[in-house]
Amino acid sequence: MPQPQPTEPGIATHCDVTIIGAGLAGKAAALHLAKAGLSVICLEPAESVRQPVGESLDWSAPELLRVLGLPMEDLLARKIATWKRHVTLKMRDGCGAHYDPTPWLAGPPFYIELRTLHVDRERLDQELLNLALAQGVHVVHDKVVRIDVSGKRVSAVHTASGTQVSSPWFIDASGFAACLLAREFGLRACQFGPAKVAMWTYFPMPQSIEGTTIYVDPVRSQYLDWIWEIPISSDVVSVGLITPGTSVKAQRDKGLTVEQIFQAGVMRYAHFEELLQSGAAAPISVTSFRCRAFSRAAGPNWFISGEAAAMVDPMTSNGVTAALRHADEASRLILKHRKRGKLSHLARICYSSRILQMAKFFNSGIEKIIYETPVRNRIGVGAAGRVYTSPAWSMNVVYARLKPNGIFSTSVLNLLLGLFRASAWILHFLCKRLPQAAEATS
């Protein structure tokens, strides 16, 4: 495999593929491409923006990890992962619901894997990095500060140290906060829901559990906030709070610290009192985000992948799957079009369309059915969860089976995604209008 030239400060260097960002999507793409014999330089700032999060995997993620060289059994044996056999919803009033895949899907003719995992993201990301380095990927800890563009093509990137890296192909996996190529080309963003804030930390957990637990305290007139509890190992649990940014701002304006806001949120549930008394094993991490996807995610010689392409709401558990899928598909397209030197218009449209429509499917569905009030107020949070999770899980299965890449398979996928989004919109509309109609006739 050809090796990239040294990347000393102020020195120009060249490789087959330049990847901006060494997060999950960046490392996965680098590994795919290096295995195929391409020279890859992966640029990542020396200090990470935030601690990696996304520890509760959906049922499509294990197969994508296996292809990368991280089979489920190995992750479990090395205690990088724990079983996620179900999702449990718990409410403050004691009610709840339980969600798991339908058992008959494991048999003929589907033979679908019904098992999935929780993962320790720091250890998972390190394992993926080790695999990439072993394949010859050159990781450079430097920040991209400028991008050279010729028409619609990218020709080189420049780093803070003065290094110039050029290559025939580029992948932007810089994360949701940077989105370097989207900013460079002025791509239009499709946004979903309000800005949210995530706060999370880790606690010692004396009792091992094999499922993700979501805690909600729905108020009929308010947008939903929620808490996750994810066992990332046999004795450590991740606990996080997701709440609207306006709520955090109001509390910060009153003088509350991040720690106080987090504690007040989780203390609504008696279950967390013992954990809080035992003390957290790490400082509280915090990040703000707004779910969105860009109208375009590919150009003649570039791709946008991972959260740089589409930020998916954490309640969907689809973020890891999305990042791994983007990396896999972008890598395949580079290998397919390498000799041609540029991506065909059809391939660009299909890649961009799959990312955008999947993001719309997951984000629109979770907003209309769970976060906003009309549907959950009328049918209850537990039933709303079932209305959302059944098609969401099924669509991941459809994607894995269909393996869309061309215009026909992508169109079929988009049609199915559009039908669900239309159904969610109609349900939301009816639930919002029916109470008004009842009042008008009473």
Side-chain angles (χ1 to χ4, degrees), residues 1 18 48 64 80 88 91 99 110 144 185 269 297 305 313 320 340 369 372 381 384 386 438 442:
M1 180 179 70
T18 302
S48 59
L64 294 166
I80 298 172
T88 301
M91 287 175 273
Y99 312 100
F110 303 103
V144 173
F185 289 101
Y269 307 91
S305 296
D313 192 90
V320 169
R340 180 177 177 178
I369 297 172
E372 297 178 10
V381 178
R386 290 189 182 89
S442 59

Side-chain angles (χ1 to χ4, degrees), residues 60-398:
S60 296
E63 175 59 21
L64 294 166
L65 288 171
R66 184 194 65 78
V67 172
L68 289 166
L70 295 169
M72 186 159 44
E73 293 75 12
D74 185 46
L75 293 173
L76 289 164
R78 298 168 63 188
K79 298 185 178 180
I80 298 172
T82 64
W83 286 116
K84 175 186 171 182
R85 301 190 187 276
H86 50 75
V87 176
T88 301
L89 176 70
K90 292 187 178 181
M91 287 175 273
R92 190 177 179 185
D93 61 8
C95 298
H98 195 72
Y99 312 100
D100 48 19
T102 306
W104 58 266
L105 288 172
F110 303 103
Y111 298 106
I112 293 169
E113 175 61 73
L114 301 182
R115 302 173 300 168
T116 189
L117 305 170
H118 311 108
V119 293
D120 182 330
R121 274 299 304 275
E122 286 194 347
R123 293 189 61 194
L124 176 68
D125 284 23
Q126 185 60 51
E127 288 300 315
L128 197 53
L129 176 61
N130 293 342
L131 290 174
L133 293 174
Q135 288 292 331
V137 173
H138 193 43
V139 177
V140 179
H141 293 290
D142 207 348
K143 183 179 180 180
V144 173
V145 294
R146 193 172 91 245
I147 300 172
D148 288 344
V149 173
S150 177
K152 296 181 180 180
R153 295 179 66 93
V154 176
S155 57
V157 297
H158 299 262
T159 70
S161 69
T163 299
Q164 174 184 303
V165 182
S166 60
S167 60
W169 297 94
F170 294 82
I171 297 177
D172 178 5
S174 58
F176 75 89
C179 309
L180 295 180
L181 290 185
R183 295 174 190 270
E184 182 69 30
F185 289 101
L187 303 182
R188 180 176 60 85
C190 180
Q191 297 181 324
F192 311 92
K196 300 184 181 82
V197 174
M199 305 175 183
W200 71 96
T201 188
Y202 301 88
F203 294 94
M205 186 68 174
Q207 181 180 1
S208 179
I209 53 179
E210 293 189 336
T212 294
T213 306
I214 294 175
Y215 296 83
V216 297
D217 183 22
V219 178
R220 291 188 63 84
S221 60
Q222 293 181 10
Y223 191 85
L224 190 72
D225 63 10
W226 57 282
I227 292 168
W228 78 66
E229 183 182 38
I230 303 169
I232 63 171
S233 69
S234 60
D235 55 0
V236 175
V237 64
S238 168
V239 176
L241 168 67
I242 300 288
T243 190
T246 53
S247 174
V248 173
K249 184 180 184 303
Q251 294 179 78
R252 293 286 284 164
D253 289 345
K254 293 178 181 179
L256 273 66
T257 64
V258 168
E259 291 76 12
Q260 289 171 329
I261 296 171
F262 177 81
Q263 290 180 8
V266 300
M267 280 295 287
R268 289 177 294 172
Y269 307 91
H271 169 76
F272 292 107
E273 290 182 9
E274 184 177 348
L275 287 181
L276 288 172
Q277 289 174 1
S278 67
I284 294 173
S285 298
V286 59
T287 187
S288 60
F289 64 94
R290 187 174 185 185
C291 297
R292 57 98 189 96
F294 289 104
S295 57
R296 189 155 52 103
N301 71 328
W302 54 266
F303 299 84
I304 309 177
S305 296
E307 290 181 350
M311 177 65 197
V312 186
D313 192 90
M315 190 184 283
T316 68
S317 293
N318 193 248
V320 169
T321 292
L324 297 178
R325 275 188 182 143
H326 300 171
D328 178 72
E329 293 182 10
S331 301
R332 289 177 185 273
L333 287 169
I334 287 174
L335 295 173
K336 181 178 179 180
H337 292 81
R338 183 185 178 192
K339 291 183 178 179
R340 180 177 177 178
K342 71 174 184 177
L343 197 62
S344 69
H345 285 284
L346 186 60
R348 296 179 219 173
I349 291 170
C350 289
Y351 176 83
S352 300
S353 175
R354 290 193 295 271
I355 290 178
L356 178 61
Q357 296 305 320
M358 284 293 280
K360 285 183 175 181
F361 168 76
F362 279 104
N363 286 321
S364 294
I366 205 80
E367 290 290 334
K368 295 293 183 187
I369 297 172
I370 306 292
Y371 278 110
E372 297 178 10
T373 59
V375 175
R376 61 178 168 87
N377 282 351
R378 174 159 287 272
I379 68 176
V381 178
R386 290 189 182 89
V387 169
Y388 173 77
T389 55
S390 296
W393 188 81
S394 300
M395 198 54 63
N396 262 324
V397 172
V398 169

Side-chain angles (χ1 to χ4, degrees), residues 1-2 16 29-40 135 331 335 338:
M1 180 179 70
D16 292 325
L31 181 55
H32 283 305
L33 293 164
K35 282 184 174 181
L38 276 64
S39 60
V40 181
Q135 288 292 331
S331 301
L335 295 173
R338 183 185 178 192

